[in-house]
Amino acid sequence: PRLLCALDFRSDPPREIVLSGVPGREDFEGLRRAVFASPRGNRVVAHADSAAAIPALAALAEGRAGASSATAYVCTGFACQAPLSDPEALRTALDGR
């Protein structure tokens, strides 16, 4: 099983996704639904809810909290694409190769 996991990670690099916003608000929940609707695995999902919580989350979420509306950051190898706030655009970013 570990070799299959290694092969899976080799063929489809993991994505790091940081969601910034307030859980329960419609804009945040729309982004969260988009993340988990994607059929692709190999992802790490973090929530940056405040600047005070950032050190506990590590460098991936640094500088990602504090926006007035929910925002998603999609990264691969700690290189991030432009921030997204539209669930459909997030689905496209996650499902693309």
Side-chain angles (χ1 to χ4, degrees):
R2 290 181 189 223
L3 287 175
L4 290 175
C5 288
L7 178 62
D8 186 38
F9 269 75
R10 173 80 168 113
S11 65
D12 188 20
R15 302 264 171 96
E16 299 100 17
I17 303 151
V18 178
L19 297 177
S20 174
V22 179
R25 282 185 32 184
E26 186 55 37
D27 57 349
F28 180 87
E29 294 303 324
L31 293 175
R32 185 165 61 162
R33 282 190 298 271
V35 168
F36 291 105
S38 174
R40 291 180 71 186
N42 295 345
R43 61 183 167 223
V44 174
V45 181
H47 173 227
D49 62 348
S50 71
I54 298 305
L57 287 175
L60 175 63
E62 187 174 359
R64 307 284 191 235
S68 60
S69 63
T71 307
Y73 301 87
V74 179
C75 312
T76 303
F78 291 95
C80 299
Q81 299 174 12
L84 301 166
S85 36
D86 176 48
E88 194 56 42
L90 178 56
R91 277 188 202 95
T92 300
L94 292 174
D95 292 341
R97 294 247 174 210

